[in-house]
Amino acid sequence: MKTALKQEAFQASDLDSYASLMESLGWAIIPDMVDKAFLAELNRDLDQAYQTCRDVQKKNGVDVNTDGTVHHLLGQAESFLRLFEKVRIHPYVERFFGVKYIV
């Protein structure tokens, strides 16, 4: 019998739990990072950015083993830059890379 995954099990309530989830799973849910309307906008813009990148990959003959990748994301829609304006995301990005970063 298949059991449903509990979303709470993948939530990062602090930087340590975030780091643990990223290490073990490669992803984590950070509750209340963005509101639902902004999340919908990000998803819509990500779909468009992916299609743009995929078209370029195919045109340039580099579409093997690149399915699902997007490059230069921050420059593809204003919503991605706004995400980085949200101060709460910076500690998570720094924790992921393990160093200070420049965008």
mmCIF file of all heavy atoms in Angstrom, residues 68-96:
data_model
loop_
_atom_site.group_PDB
_atom_site.id
_atom_site.type_symbol
_atom_site.label_atom_id
_atom_site.label_comp_id
_atom_site.label_asym_id
_atom_site.label_seq_id
_atom_site.Cartn_x
_atom_site.Cartn_y
_atom_site.Cartn_z
ATOM 1 N N GLY A 68 15.181 19.821 -18.923
ATOM 2 C CA GLY A 68 14.900 20.269 -17.563
ATOM 3 C C GLY A 68 15.844 21.341 -17.051
ATOM 4 O O GLY A 68 15.754 21.748 -15.898
ATOM 5 N N THR A 69 16.762 21.812 -17.898
ATOM 6 C CA THR A 69 17.705 22.836 -17.448
ATOM 7 C C THR A 69 17.317 24.214 -17.975
ATOM 8 O O THR A 69 16.748 24.344 -19.060
ATOM 9 C CB THR A 69 19.142 22.530 -17.904
ATOM 10 O OG1 THR A 69 19.191 22.537 -19.334
ATOM 11 C CG2 THR A 69 19.615 21.190 -17.376
ATOM 12 N N VAL A 70 17.629 25.213 -17.185
ATOM 13 C CA VAL A 70 17.397 26.614 -17.551
ATOM 14 C C VAL A 70 18.654 27.382 -17.172
ATOM 15 O O VAL A 70 19.159 27.238 -16.063
ATOM 16 C CB VAL A 70 16.176 27.204 -16.809
ATOM 17 C CG1 VAL A 70 16.024 28.682 -17.115
ATOM 18 C CG2 VAL A 70 14.912 26.445 -17.153
ATOM 19 N N HIS A 71 19.160 28.193 -18.086
ATOM 20 C CA HIS A 71 20.350 28.986 -17.826
ATOM 21 C C HIS A 71 20.003 30.468 -17.832
ATOM 22 O O HIS A 71 19.060 30.883 -18.500
ATOM 23 C CB HIS A 71 21.421 28.690 -18.883
ATOM 24 C CG HIS A 71 21.893 27.273 -18.834
ATOM 25 N ND1 HIS A 71 21.275 26.265 -19.540
ATOM 26 C CD2 HIS A 71 22.877 26.692 -18.116
ATOM 27 C CE1 HIS A 71 21.888 25.130 -19.285
ATOM 28 N NE2 HIS A 71 22.860 25.357 -18.427
ATOM 29 N N HIS A 72 20.773 31.238 -17.086
ATOM 30 C CA HIS A 72 20.596 32.687 -17.018
ATOM 31 C C HIS A 72 19.172 33.046 -16.582
ATOM 32 O O HIS A 72 18.548 33.961 -17.106
ATOM 33 C CB HIS A 72 20.944 33.349 -18.353
ATOM 34 C CG HIS A 72 22.286 32.941 -18.869
ATOM 35 N ND1 HIS A 72 23.456 33.355 -18.286
ATOM 36 C CD2 HIS A 72 22.639 32.124 -19.891
ATOM 37 C CE1 HIS A 72 24.478 32.833 -18.924
ATOM 38 N NE2 HIS A 72 24.012 32.071 -19.907
ATOM 39 N N LEU A 73 18.686 32.328 -15.602
ATOM 40 C CA LEU A 73 17.297 32.456 -15.167
ATOM 41 C C LEU A 73 16.971 33.862 -14.673
ATOM 42 O O LEU A 73 15.920 34.400 -15.006
ATOM 43 C CB LEU A 73 17.001 31.436 -14.063
ATOM 44 C CG LEU A 73 15.580 31.429 -13.535
ATOM 45 C CD1 LEU A 73 14.607 31.007 -14.626
ATOM 46 C CD2 LEU A 73 15.468 30.507 -12.339
ATOM 47 N N LEU A 74 17.850 34.454 -13.890
ATOM 48 C CA LEU A 74 17.532 35.756 -13.299
ATOM 49 C C LEU A 74 17.237 36.823 -14.332
ATOM 50 O O LEU A 74 16.456 37.731 -14.079
ATOM 51 C CB LEU A 74 18.660 36.225 -12.380
ATOM 52 C CG LEU A 74 18.857 35.409 -11.108
ATOM 53 C CD1 LEU A 74 20.026 35.956 -10.299
ATOM 54 C CD2 LEU A 74 17.599 35.380 -10.273
ATOM 55 N N GLY A 75 17.820 36.712 -15.500
ATOM 56 C CA GLY A 75 17.603 37.711 -16.533
ATOM 57 C C GLY A 75 16.396 37.442 -17.427
ATOM 58 O O GLY A 75 16.096 38.245 -18.304
ATOM 59 N N GLN A 76 15.687 36.355 -17.189
ATOM 60 C CA GLN A 76 14.601 35.993 -18.096
ATOM 61 C C GLN A 76 13.246 36.548 -17.705
ATOM 62 O O GLN A 76 12.349 36.611 -18.539
ATOM 63 C CB GLN A 76 14.532 34.470 -18.241
ATOM 64 C CG GLN A 76 15.758 33.938 -18.949
ATOM 65 C CD GLN A 76 15.472 32.637 -19.629
ATOM 66 O OE1 GLN A 76 14.408 32.452 -20.211
ATOM 67 N NE2 GLN A 76 16.411 31.726 -19.564
ATOM 68 N N ALA A 77 13.068 36.922 -16.456
ATOM 69 C CA ALA A 77 11.796 37.526 -16.034
ATOM 70 C C ALA A 77 12.031 38.335 -14.768
ATOM 71 O O ALA A 77 12.853 37.974 -13.917
ATOM 72 C CB ALA A 77 10.731 36.456 -15.789
ATOM 73 N N GLU A 78 11.306 39.402 -14.650
ATOM 74 C CA GLU A 78 11.434 40.297 -13.506
ATOM 75 C C GLU A 78 11.093 39.595 -12.196
ATOM 76 O O GLU A 78 11.643 39.910 -11.142
ATOM 77 C CB GLU A 78 10.523 41.515 -13.748
ATOM 78 C CG GLU A 78 10.625 42.606 -12.738
ATOM 79 C CD GLU A 78 9.551 42.464 -11.660
ATOM 80 O OE1 GLU A 78 8.535 41.805 -11.910
ATOM 81 O OE2 GLU A 78 9.765 42.988 -10.556
ATOM 82 N N SER A 79 10.235 38.600 -12.246
ATOM 83 C CA SER A 79 9.832 37.899 -11.021
ATOM 84 C C SER A 79 11.014 37.212 -10.344
ATOM 85 O O SER A 79 11.072 37.152 -9.109
ATOM 86 C CB SER A 79 8.740 36.871 -11.329
ATOM 87 O OG SER A 79 9.225 35.854 -12.176
ATOM 88 N N PHE A 80 11.968 36.705 -11.105
ATOM 89 C CA PHE A 80 13.116 36.020 -10.520
ATOM 90 C C PHE A 80 14.003 36.996 -9.755
ATOM 91 O O PHE A 80 14.548 36.655 -8.702
ATOM 92 C CB PHE A 80 13.910 35.279 -11.586
ATOM 93 C CG PHE A 80 13.080 34.303 -12.367
ATOM 94 C CD1 PHE A 80 13.027 34.362 -13.745
ATOM 95 C CD2 PHE A 80 12.321 33.338 -11.730
ATOM 96 C CE1 PHE A 80 12.257 33.468 -14.472
ATOM 97 C CE2 PHE A 80 11.540 32.437 -12.441
ATOM 98 C CZ PHE A 80 11.510 32.512 -13.820
ATOM 99 N N LEU A 81 14.136 38.203 -10.269
ATOM 100 C CA LEU A 81 14.895 39.222 -9.544
ATOM 101 C C LEU A 81 14.174 39.625 -8.255
ATOM 102 O O LEU A 81 14.805 39.819 -7.222
ATOM 103 C CB LEU A 81 15.136 40.442 -10.426
ATOM 104 C CG LEU A 81 16.101 40.224 -11.583
ATOM 105 C CD1 LEU A 81 16.154 41.464 -12.467
ATOM 106 C CD2 LEU A 81 17.483 39.883 -11.061
ATOM 107 N N ARG A 82 12.857 39.736 -8.335
ATOM 108 C CA ARG A 82 12.095 40.065 -7.128
ATOM 109 C C ARG A 82 12.258 38.996 -6.057
ATOM 110 O O ARG A 82 12.261 39.298 -4.869
ATOM 111 C CB ARG A 82 10.621 40.282 -7.434
ATOM 112 C CG ARG A 82 10.338 41.665 -7.979
ATOM 113 C CD ARG A 82 8.854 41.981 -8.022
ATOM 114 N NE ARG A 82 8.218 41.196 -9.078
ATOM 115 C CZ ARG A 82 7.156 40.415 -8.894
ATOM 116 N NH1 ARG A 82 6.572 40.322 -7.742
ATOM 117 N NH2 ARG A 82 6.645 39.738 -9.920
ATOM 118 N N LEU A 83 12.397 37.754 -6.460
ATOM 119 C CA LEU A 83 12.611 36.684 -5.493
ATOM 120 C C LEU A 83 13.880 36.951 -4.694
ATOM 121 O O LEU A 83 13.917 36.767 -3.481
ATOM 122 C CB LEU A 83 12.702 35.326 -6.201
ATOM 123 C CG LEU A 83 12.954 34.120 -5.301
ATOM 124 C CD1 LEU A 83 11.795 33.922 -4.322
ATOM 125 C CD2 LEU A 83 13.166 32.881 -6.139
ATOM 126 N N PHE A 84 14.926 37.412 -5.364
ATOM 127 C CA PHE A 84 16.175 37.695 -4.675
ATOM 128 C C PHE A 84 16.133 38.996 -3.871
ATOM 129 O O PHE A 84 16.993 39.239 -3.041
ATOM 130 C CB PHE A 84 17.352 37.683 -5.646
ATOM 131 C CG PHE A 84 17.947 36.322 -5.773
ATOM 132 C CD1 PHE A 84 17.373 35.385 -6.600
ATOM 133 C CD2 PHE A 84 19.039 35.957 -5.014
ATOM 134 C CE1 PHE A 84 17.888 34.107 -6.694
ATOM 135 C CE2 PHE A 84 19.562 34.687 -5.086
ATOM 136 C CZ PHE A 84 18.992 33.751 -5.935
ATOM 137 N N GLU A 85 15.144 39.825 -4.115
ATOM 138 C CA GLU A 85 14.968 41.021 -3.299
ATOM 139 C C GLU A 85 14.378 40.669 -1.939
ATOM 140 O O GLU A 85 14.470 41.444 -1.009
ATOM 141 C CB GLU A 85 14.065 42.028 -4.008
ATOM 142 C CG GLU A 85 14.722 42.669 -5.212
ATOM 143 C CD GLU A 85 13.756 43.539 -5.999
ATOM 144 O OE1 GLU A 85 12.550 43.544 -5.697
ATOM 145 O OE2 GLU A 85 14.218 44.208 -6.930
ATOM 146 N N LYS A 86 13.772 39.498 -1.847
ATOM 147 C CA LYS A 86 13.201 39.057 -0.580
ATOM 148 C C LYS A 86 14.360 38.674 0.337
ATOM 149 O O LYS A 86 15.027 37.680 0.129
ATOM 150 C CB LYS A 86 12.259 37.874 -0.776
ATOM 151 C CG LYS A 86 10.996 38.260 -1.507
ATOM 152 C CD LYS A 86 10.104 37.048 -1.619
ATOM 153 C CE LYS A 86 8.752 37.425 -2.118
ATOM 154 N NZ LYS A 86 7.941 38.136 -1.149
ATOM 155 N N VAL A 87 14.583 39.463 1.347
ATOM 156 C CA VAL A 87 15.737 39.300 2.223
ATOM 157 C C VAL A 87 15.798 37.910 2.839
ATOM 158 O O VAL A 87 16.866 37.343 3.006
ATOM 159 C CB VAL A 87 15.723 40.379 3.329
ATOM 160 C CG1 VAL A 87 16.835 40.170 4.323
ATOM 161 C CG2 VAL A 87 15.813 41.760 2.700
ATOM 162 N N ARG A 88 14.671 37.295 3.113
ATOM 163 C CA ARG A 88 14.671 36.002 3.793
ATOM 164 C C ARG A 88 15.352 34.894 2.998
ATOM 165 O O ARG A 88 15.750 33.894 3.566
ATOM 166 C CB ARG A 88 13.233 35.565 4.097
ATOM 167 C CG ARG A 88 12.590 36.365 5.186
ATOM 168 C CD ARG A 88 11.260 35.783 5.604
ATOM 169 N NE ARG A 88 11.395 34.356 5.886
ATOM 170 C CZ ARG A 88 10.448 33.458 5.647
ATOM 171 N NH1 ARG A 88 9.307 33.813 5.127
ATOM 172 N NH2 ARG A 88 10.644 32.187 5.922
ATOM 173 N N ILE A 89 15.486 35.047 1.702
ATOM 174 C CA ILE A 89 16.081 33.967 0.913
ATOM 175 C C ILE A 89 17.608 33.927 1.021
ATOM 176 O O ILE A 89 18.226 32.883 0.877
ATOM 177 C CB ILE A 89 15.654 34.046 -0.571
ATOM 178 C CG1 ILE A 89 15.875 32.692 -1.229
ATOM 179 C CG2 ILE A 89 16.367 35.157 -1.301
ATOM 180 C CD1 ILE A 89 15.289 32.586 -2.609
ATOM 181 N N HIS A 90 18.225 35.039 1.321
ATOM 182 C CA HIS A 90 19.679 35.116 1.294
ATOM 183 C C HIS A 90 20.381 34.146 2.249
ATOM 184 O O HIS A 90 21.357 33.503 1.846
ATOM 185 C CB HIS A 90 20.145 36.553 1.498
ATOM 186 C CG HIS A 90 19.718 37.450 0.379
ATOM 187 N ND1 HIS A 90 20.311 37.421 -0.859
ATOM 188 C CD2 HIS A 90 18.723 38.354 0.289
ATOM 189 C CE1 HIS A 90 19.716 38.281 -1.667
ATOM 190 N NE2 HIS A 90 18.741 38.857 -0.990
ATOM 191 N N PRO A 91 19.942 33.992 3.494
ATOM 192 C CA PRO A 91 20.621 33.017 4.362
ATOM 193 C C PRO A 91 20.573 31.587 3.810
ATOM 194 O O PRO A 91 21.526 30.822 3.972
ATOM 195 C CB PRO A 91 19.858 33.108 5.683
ATOM 196 C CG PRO A 91 19.203 34.441 5.667
ATOM 197 C CD PRO A 91 18.907 34.722 4.219
ATOM 198 N N TYR A 92 19.487 31.244 3.140
ATOM 199 C CA TYR A 92 19.361 29.906 2.571
ATOM 200 C C TYR A 92 20.312 29.712 1.390
ATOM 201 O O TYR A 92 20.920 28.658 1.242
ATOM 202 C CB TYR A 92 17.913 29.638 2.148
ATOM 203 C CG TYR A 92 16.974 29.599 3.316
ATOM 204 C CD1 TYR A 92 16.294 30.737 3.719
ATOM 205 C CD2 TYR A 92 16.774 28.421 4.020
ATOM 206 C CE1 TYR A 92 15.429 30.702 4.812
ATOM 207 C CE2 TYR A 92 15.917 28.376 5.108
ATOM 208 C CZ TYR A 92 15.251 29.520 5.497
ATOM 209 O OH TYR A 92 14.409 29.487 6.574
ATOM 210 N N VAL A 93 20.433 30.734 0.548
ATOM 211 C CA VAL A 93 21.347 30.647 -0.595
ATOM 212 C C VAL A 93 22.791 30.556 -0.101
ATOM 213 O O VAL A 93 23.581 29.736 -0.575
ATOM 214 C CB VAL A 93 21.158 31.840 -1.555
ATOM 215 C CG1 VAL A 93 22.188 31.822 -2.672
ATOM 216 C CG2 VAL A 93 19.744 31.842 -2.121
ATOM 217 N N GLU A 94 23.138 31.380 0.886
ATOM 218 C CA GLU A 94 24.488 31.332 1.444
ATOM 219 C C GLU A 94 24.771 29.973 2.077
ATOM 220 O O GLU A 94 25.864 29.429 1.929
ATOM 221 C CB GLU A 94 24.689 32.441 2.477
ATOM 222 C CG GLU A 94 24.844 33.800 1.849
ATOM 223 C CD GLU A 94 25.056 34.912 2.871
ATOM 224 O OE1 GLU A 94 25.086 34.629 4.102
ATOM 225 O OE2 GLU A 94 25.179 36.059 2.446
ATOM 226 N N ARG A 95 23.796 29.428 2.763
ATOM 227 C CA ARG A 95 23.977 28.107 3.387
ATOM 228 C C ARG A 95 24.169 27.037 2.320
ATOM 229 O O ARG A 95 24.990 26.137 2.467
ATOM 230 C CB ARG A 95 22.775 27.787 4.274
ATOM 231 C CG ARG A 95 22.904 26.509 5.066
ATOM 232 C CD ARG A 95 24.004 26.636 6.129
ATOM 233 N NE ARG A 95 24.115 25.438 6.909
ATOM 234 C CZ ARG A 95 23.664 25.287 8.141
ATOM 235 N NH1 ARG A 95 23.064 26.289 8.761
ATOM 236 N NH2 ARG A 95 23.811 24.155 8.784
ATOM 237 N N PHE A 96 23.419 27.128 1.237
ATOM 238 C CA PHE A 96 23.544 26.150 0.154
ATOM 239 C C PHE A 96 24.945 26.170 -0.450
ATOM 240 O O PHE A 96 25.576 25.133 -0.628
ATOM 241 C CB PHE A 96 22.495 26.420 -0.929
ATOM 242 C CG PHE A 96 22.622 25.516 -2.115
ATOM 243 C CD1 PHE A 96 22.158 24.210 -2.060
ATOM 244 C CD2 PHE A 96 23.204 25.964 -3.288
ATOM 245 C CE1 PHE A 96 22.279 23.363 -3.149
ATOM 246 C CE2 PHE A 96 23.332 25.131 -4.384
ATOM 247 C CZ PHE A 96 22.872 23.823 -4.311
#
